[in-house]
Structures are given as C-alpha cells and as structure tokens.
C-alpha cells in the first residue's frame, strides 16, 4: 500500500512539474519582458557559481590525470594522455559534474529564496498588487540558469584542461604548446556541440525544479528547508536522466 502511494505521488509530482514547465513557456513569450531582471539573475547566478565551477574544474583535471597517468605509463602510452583527458572531460565528465555542483548551489538557493518569499507572503502580495510573480520570479530565474550553465561548463572545461596540463608538465615535462596542440588535434565539433547543447537542458532542468519547489513551498521554515533539499535531489536525478537521453540520441545520430 505504501509503495503504491509513493508511485502515485511520484507521477503527481511529474505531472505538476510538466504543467509548471508549460506555464513557463506560455509566460516566456508574453509581455512584458523582464530584461533587467533577467540580466540581474544571470549576473547573480553566474557570479555565485564562478568560484565553485573553477575549483571543481581544476580538481577534475588534476584527479583524472593523476589517476590515469600510471596506467598509461605501464603501456608506454603517456602521449595519449592529452587526447584521452580532453575528450572525456569535454564529452561527459565536465558537463555532468559541473552541472551537479551548479544544481547544489543554484537549485537550493532558488528553492530557499522563493520558498521564503512564499512563506512570508511576498508572492501573494505581488499577485494582489497586479504584478505577475511567475513572470518576474520564475521565468527570469529559469532562463538565467539555462543561459548561464553552458558558459560555466565551457569555462570549467578550460580550467580542467589547464589542471591536467600542470600535472603533465610536472610529471612528464610537457610544454603548454605541445599539450594543447594534442588537445585541439584530438577533439572535433562532434565532441563539443552535443556536450554544449545538453548543458542548456541541464540548466533549464535545474532552474525549473528549483523554482517549482520554492514557488509551491509549504508554510513554515521547515517547508523552506524541505524545498531547498528536494530541489537539489530532484534536479540531480533529472540531470542523470537527461544525460542518458542526450548520450543515446548522440549515439544514434553518429550511427546514421
């Protein structure tokens, strides 16, 4: 009985999130357009995440290179290190791990912020005053997350490759020019384009879930904490589902 109730709640949640997404697209193309609020949210989200993305990307590059280099040395294949690291980071590791850190920072922040506004009745006050709170609060944040995450992923990938280069320079005395010549010779548009496109969907999912959880937050401070926590959990699960779909579609596309 409890299991059937859990499944029912899951499908109800999916249905409500789908309706929330449809409302987002309806409000997105309706006037007025909140350009100033959008720019402010893009700056806020990007600025909050920049240091975290930089540190995450740098550690990714260091760890992957340090873990992989001994194995390649056993087979005398150290020269393949730049190619292998660059492809693995750009295709999969960089977008997914940076998106997860972005979800932990942004989805929880949006959920807590909108949840606090719902609990303190600020959203109700906006509705009474004639302002469209969904347009001003939700559309701008979801769109900002969608546009900001791809830029952060590209930046994080570059930092990760630089971290990998430092290890190669220390361990194998590889020059900066030689390392990045091998990197750019190994990657192609088929590696970059699909990985970049899926980050737009990652950002949309993170912003949408964070706004959904906060906008419909239950009353009380406990509800704010629950909204922030569930926003991170739900968006992280959704990222893995979207990543699987993106990899599956990319694989089909390149098989044609």
């Amino acid at each position: 009985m409890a299991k059937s109730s859990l499944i029912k709640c899951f499908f109800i949640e999916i249905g409500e999130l789908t309706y929330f997404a449809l409302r987002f697209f309806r409000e997105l193309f309706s006037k007025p357009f909140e350009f100033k609020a959008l720019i402010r949210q893009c700056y806020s989200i990007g600025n909050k995440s920049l240091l975290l993305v930089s540190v995450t990307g740098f550690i990714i590059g260091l760890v992957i290179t340090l873990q992989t280099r001994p194995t390649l040395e056993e087979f005398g294949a150290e020269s393949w290190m730049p190619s292998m690291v660059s492809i693995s980071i750009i295709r999969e590791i960089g977008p997914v791990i940076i998106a997860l850190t972005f979800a932990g920072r942004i989805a929880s922040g949006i959920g807590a912020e909108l949840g606090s506004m719902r609990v303190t009745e600020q959203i109700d006050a906006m509705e009474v005053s004639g302002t469209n709170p969904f347009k001003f609060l939700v559309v701008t944040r979801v769109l900002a997350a969608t546009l900001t995450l791809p830029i952060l992923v590209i930046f994080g990938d570059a930092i990760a490759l630089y971290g990998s280069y430092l290890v190669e320079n220390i361990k194998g005395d590889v020059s900066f020019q030689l390392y990045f010549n091998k990197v750019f010779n190994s990657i192609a548009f088929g590696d970059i384009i699909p990985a970049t496109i899926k980050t737009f969907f990652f950002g949309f999912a993170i912003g949408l879930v964070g706004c959904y959880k906060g906008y419909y937050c239950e009353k009380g401070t406990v509800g704010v904490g629950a909204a922030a926590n569930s926003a991170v959990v739900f968006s992280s699960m959704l990222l893995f589902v979207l990543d699987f779909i993106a990899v599956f579609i990319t694989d089909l596309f390149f098989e044609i």
Side-chain angles (χ1 to χ4, degrees):
M1 190 69 180
K3 186 180 293 185
S4 61
S5 177
L6 187 63
I7 295 174
K8 181 180 178 181
C9 291
F10 173 77
F11 282 107
I12 291 174
E13 189 91 353
I14 293 296
E16 291 179 347
L17 184 62
T18 303
Y19 175 78
F20 193 79
L22 293 175
R23 185 180 176 186
F24 163 80
F25 286 110
R26 186 175 68 247
E27 297 284 354
L28 176 63
F29 298 104
S30 63
K31 295 182 179 180
F33 301 108
E34 303 287 350
F35 287 113
K36 290 184 178 179
L38 174 61
I39 297 300
R40 186 167 59 250
Q41 289 299 325
C42 286
Y43 173 78
S44 176
I45 290 174
N47 187 46
K48 287 179 180 178
S49 307
L50 192 61
L51 179 61
L52 181 62
V53 168
S54 302
V55 174
T56 302
F58 188 70
I59 293 175
I60 289 172
L62 293 178
V63 170
I64 291 177
T65 308
L66 286 171
Q67 290 286 343
T68 310
R69 185 176 174 81
T71 303
L72 294 182
E73 284 180 342
E74 292 181 5
F75 298 96
E78 304 97 313
S79 60
W80 287 94
M81 178 64 70
S83 303
M84 190 206 67
V85 170
S86 61
I87 291 175
S88 60
I89 287 176
I90 291 173
R91 280 187 179 180
E92 189 65 23
I93 298 175
V96 172
I97 294 183
I98 292 174
L100 287 172
T101 58
F102 185 82
R105 180 68 181 86
I106 299 303
S108 61
I110 292 176
E113 185 180 9
L114 295 188
S116 299
M117 296 181 71
R118 173 64 73 182
V119 168
T120 56
E121 299 181 348
Q122 295 180 49
I123 295 178
D124 298 332
M126 293 176 68
E127 292 175 346
V128 171
S129 64
T131 306
N132 186 349
F134 194 95
K135 182 85 172 179
F136 185 77
L137 298 175
V138 175
V139 174
T140 54
R141 284 168 172 79
V142 175
L143 197 56
T146 305
L147 298 175
T148 305
L149 182 58
I151 300 173
L152 292 172
V153 168
I154 293 172
F155 179 76
D157 288 347
I159 297 293
L161 292 176
Y162 183 74
S164 176
Y165 153 72
L166 290 180
V167 175
E168 283 293 284
N169 181 259
I170 295 171
K171 295 280 189 178
D173 196 23
V174 178
S175 67
F176 182 88
Q177 183 177 0
L178 176 60
Y179 183 86
F180 281 96
N181 279 340
K182 291 184 177 181
V183 167
F184 289 119
N185 287 333
S186 62
I187 58 176
F189 283 107
D191 301 317
I192 299 173
I193 300 300
T196 304
I197 290 174
K198 70 181 180 181
T199 57
F200 285 97
F201 292 95
F202 289 171
F204 174 76
I206 292 168
L208 187 73
V209 172
C211 289
Y212 167 73
K213 291 294 184 179
Y215 198 78
Y216 294 114
C217 173
E218 298 178 355
K219 298 295 183 180
T221 55
V222 177
V224 176
N229 181 61
S230 60
V232 176
V233 174
F234 200 85
S235 60
S236 299
M237 292 175 59
L238 195 56
L239 285 179
F240 289 114
V241 174
L242 290 174
D243 185 54
F244 168 74
I245 295 172
V247 172
F248 183 75
I249 293 175
T250 303
D251 185 61
L252 288 179
F253 176 79
F254 283 106
E255 282 187 355
I256 294 175

